Amino acid sequence: MNNRPSVEVCFTPNLFPLHMDNAEFVVVIDVLRATSAICTAFHNGIDKVIPVSTVEEALEYKKKGYLVAAERKGQIVPGFEFGNSPYSYMNKNLKGQTLVITTTNGTKAFHTASQAKEVIIGSLLNLDAVSSFLKKQNKNVLLLASGWQNKFCLEDTICAGAIADQLLSSGDFVCDQDSSIAAKYLYLSAKENYLGYLKSSSHRRRLKKLNLNEDIKYCLTPNQTDVVPIRENNYLINSK
Amino acid sequence: MNNRPSVEVCFTPNLFPLHMDNAEFVVVIDVLRATSAICTAFHNGIDKVIPVSTVEEALEYKKKGYLVAAERKGQIVPGFEFGNSPYSYMNKNLKGQTLVITTTNGTKAFHTASQAKEVIIGSLLNLDAVSSFLKKQNKNVLLLASGWQNKFCLEDTICAGAIADQLLSSGDFVCDQDSSIAAKYLYLSAKENYLGYLKSSSHRRRLKKLNLNEDIKYCLTPNQTDVVPIRENNYLINSK
């Protein structure tokens, strides 16, 4: 019983060094909207996603003819075609292509996790798929919330709490950290009505101001896809 | 209405730089047990508390004849008479004395807050007193949870959520950060039964192993005192 793997939650990328020691699989979560967009892109047939940290790197790829998404503070960076609205990726013409993406928080978290042995991408959209995948691995899991500019954010924590709850309920995982317990409690209070629960959250207010309510609603709808994006070298592929 | 002061929650000392800009009053919270012990000491007539960061500093004061408390990882440091059990300070012989104290997390948080204009000490023991005090100030408040070795901890967050809830319920304060919203949600779920809610928290488990259940129960009992310790120079006095 003591050999059961752990599932823990890290609230923001700058707390990652305190939590990473034991982690074998890191799940990067940015519900609004980077990891939701990445999951949607794979669901619609994108072959490979290359997360990059800076707009400059993204621009280099654009010059080379890649499909490139660049978002900062909720908006598409001028000069780019895509941001991180999941709806942009609901397009069958993208099938088989490679997408390069840079976002305010999500790709930063992905690079923070670069030291981890294995990295996968989680969101509410692929909640059950991620949980099933992790249950099969039997490894220590760290759920890394991307947060907002290194601050705690509610929607990523709730998604982490949802994954933690599924793994802990299986009886095959244990958790030790208060952050994990809190994430689970927050998820349990939120699960009946994510949209209502998050009505006062700062990021939802931020995106609502940008008229992104449809994006928010979609990103808060669990289990729209069974993709599990996984890191291979410096890019992501669908694990299936 | 837009000029109402803010009340925000910072989960751990290492996130303080992200939250401090706007703060006028910082409330340092270490429910298990440093700030609970400090409140109890003032309630029992201690005149002044000097928080110090290291055991070496504490030892210097001890040599000079001061009353000195030193705790690390839940236990009294060998060679010192006091740790941070509130029960140690329920002693009328301490009246009028100065107490020097160093603890694992609480005094670290106090020193992290040193750049703030004003610093007060909060715990569940002086919950209503702290809230009333802050309501009178009409200033921006930052509730700083001490955490456990820079990690999030549940009991400090719940105490912060309780203070935030009282200030927000008055209608005289606003909050903007998701950490504050989450702390309030966690408090609202916990308030009917703190002990039950915290049964799986890591610090409660840690102290229980050390047979400190009575301390835990006491520290989780709101409103045992109306003291509000406040920083003056590099020490604390009771504001009343």
Side-chain angles (χ1 to χ4, degrees):
Chain A
M1 288 295 272
N2 286 329
N3 291 329
R4 285 181 292 174
S6 62
V7 53
E8 304 292 358
V9 176
C10 175
F11 284 155
T12 78
N14 56 353
L15 297 174
F16 184 71
L18 298 172
H19 290 274
M20 63 169 283
D21 275 357
N22 205 29
E24 293 170 297
F25 268 86
V26 172
V27 184
V28 175
I29 299 165
D30 184 9
V31 168
L32 295 176
R33 297 168 290 162
T35 62
S36 300
I38 290 170
C39 290
T40 306
F42 278 113
H43 184 72
N44 285 279
I46 282 270
D47 199 41
K48 191 193 279 191
V49 171
I50 308 177
V52 298
S53 299
T54 65
V55 172
E56 291 67 32
E57 284 172 272
L59 207 56
E60 286 303 310
Y61 276 103
K62 194 171 152 64
K63 284 178 193 163
K64 289 178 196 160
Y66 280 83
L67 196 67
V68 184
E71 171 268 358
R72 286 296 179 271
K73 297 191 177 177
Q75 295 182 293
I76 298 176
V77 178
F80 291 88
E81 208 178 336
F82 295 90
N84 59 6
S85 169
Y87 285 103
S88 326
Y89 303 102
M90 294 177 190
N91 177 347
K92 292 295 176 195
N93 295 331
L94 304 179
K95 200 168 175 180
Q97 297 213 48
T98 292
L99 172 70
V100 175
I101 187 167
T102 182
T103 75
T104 312
N105 301 295
T107 53
K108 185 185 152 82
F110 178 78
H111 288 103
T112 298
S114 62
Q115 301 157 64
K117 285 183 202 158
E118 304 277 0
V119 178
I120 65 171
I121 297 296
S123 66
L124 288 168
L125 301 178
N126 68 342
L127 173 59
D128 286 356
V130 163
S131 301
S132 302
F133 177 91
L134 291 169
K135 283 179 201 166
K136 285 181 203 143
Q137 310 300 320
N138 198 37
K139 303 277 186 193
N140 294 322
V141 172
L142 182 63
L143 305 165
L144 174 60
S146 298
W148 177 257
Q149 297 180 334
N150 271 322
K151 286 181 181 171
F152 172 91
C153 97
L154 208 43
E155 66 275 8
D156 294 344
T157 304
I158 285 166
C159 179
I163 300 170
D165 184 55
Q166 291 204 12
L167 299 192
L168 292 167
S169 300
S170 73
D172 295 334
F173 287 79
V174 292
C175 90
D176 179 60
Q177 304 286 324
D178 278 16
S179 51
S180 318
I181 299 166
K184 202 183 118 173
Y185 278 140
L186 290 166
Y187 158 68
L188 292 173
S189 320
K191 70 177 180 176
E192 299 305 331
N193 178 6
Y194 292 116
L195 208 61
Y197 197 80
L198 291 169
K199 67 178 183 295
S200 51
S201 83
S202 59
H203 198 47
R204 194 187 144 188
R205 275 182 280 130
R206 209 174 289 125
L207 293 182
K208 210 176 160 189
K209 272 190 203 158
L210 301 171
N211 278 322
L212 296 172
N213 246 349
E214 287 309 306
D215 275 25
I216 298 170
K217 276 186 201 162
Y218 182 71
C219 293
L220 297 180
T221 311
N223 302 321
Q224 298 302 298
T225 177
D226 61 359
V227 302
V228 179
I230 188 166
R231 185 188 62 189
E232 192 179 81
N233 303 312
N234 65 337
Y235 52 81
L236 297 162
I237 56 164
N238 185 4
S239 69
K240 304 221 169 168
Chain B
M1 289 294 273
N2 286 330
N3 291 329
R4 286 180 291 175
S6 62
V7 53
E8 304 291 358
V9 176
C10 175
F11 284 154
T12 78
N14 57 354
L15 296 175
F16 184 71
L18 298 173
H19 289 273
M20 63 169 283
D21 276 357
N22 206 30
E24 294 171 295
F25 268 85
V26 172
V27 184
V28 175
I29 299 166
D30 184 8
V31 168
L32 295 175
R33 297 168 288 162
T35 61
S36 300
I38 289 170
C39 291
T40 307
F42 279 112
H43 184 72
N44 285 277
I46 282 270
D47 199 43
K48 191 193 279 191
V49 171
I50 309 178
V52 298
S53 298
T54 66
V55 172
E56 291 67 33
E57 284 171 272
L59 207 57
E60 286 303 311
Y61 276 103
K62 193 172 153 63
K63 284 179 192 161
K64 289 177 196 160
Y66 280 84
L67 195 67
V68 183
E71 171 269 357
R72 286 295 179 271
K73 296 191 177 177
Q75 295 182 293
I76 298 176
V77 178
F80 291 89
E81 209 179 335
F82 295 90
N84 59 7
S85 169
Y87 285 102
S88 326
Y89 303 102
M90 293 178 190
N91 176 349
K92 292 295 176 195
N93 295 330
L94 303 180
K95 201 170 173 176
Q97 296 214 47
T98 293
L99 172 71
V100 175
I101 187 167
T102 181
T103 76
T104 311
N105 301 296
T107 53
K108 186 186 151 81
F110 178 79
H111 288 104
T112 299
S114 62
Q115 301 156 64
K117 285 183 201 158
E118 304 276 0
V119 178
I120 65 170
I121 296 296
S123 66
L124 287 168
L125 301 177
N126 68 341
L127 173 59
D128 286 356
V130 163
S131 300
S132 301
F133 177 90
L134 292 169
K135 283 179 201 165
K136 284 180 205 145
Q137 310 301 320
N138 197 37
K139 301 277 187 193
N140 295 321
V141 172
L142 181 63
L143 305 164
L144 173 60
S146 297
W148 177 258
Q149 297 179 335
N150 272 322
K151 285 181 181 169
F152 171 92
C153 97
L154 208 43
E155 66 275 8
D156 294 344
T157 304
I158 285 166
C159 179
I163 300 170
D165 185 56
Q166 291 203 12
L167 300 192
L168 292 167
S169 299
S170 74
D172 295 333
F173 287 80
V174 292
C175 91
D176 179 60
Q177 304 286 324
D178 278 16
S179 51
S180 319
I181 299 166
K184 201 183 121 176
Y185 277 140
L186 290 166
Y187 157 69
L188 292 173
S189 319
K191 69 177 182 177
E192 299 305 331
N193 179 8
Y194 292 116
L195 208 61
Y197 197 80
L198 292 169
K199 67 178 183 296
S200 52
S201 83
S202 59
H203 199 46
R204 195 187 145 191
R205 275 181 281 131
R206 210 174 289 123
L207 294 181
K208 210 177 161 189
K209 273 190 202 158
L210 300 171
N211 278 321
L212 296 171
N213 246 348
E214 287 308 306
D215 275 26
I216 298 170
K217 276 185 202 164
Y218 182 71
C219 293
L220 296 180
T221 312
N223 302 322
Q224 299 301 298
T225 177
D226 61 359
V227 302
V228 179
I230 188 166
R231 185 189 63 189
E232 192 179 81
N233 303 314
N234 65 337
Y235 52 81
L236 298 161
I237 56 163
N238 186 4
S239 69
K240 302 222 167 166

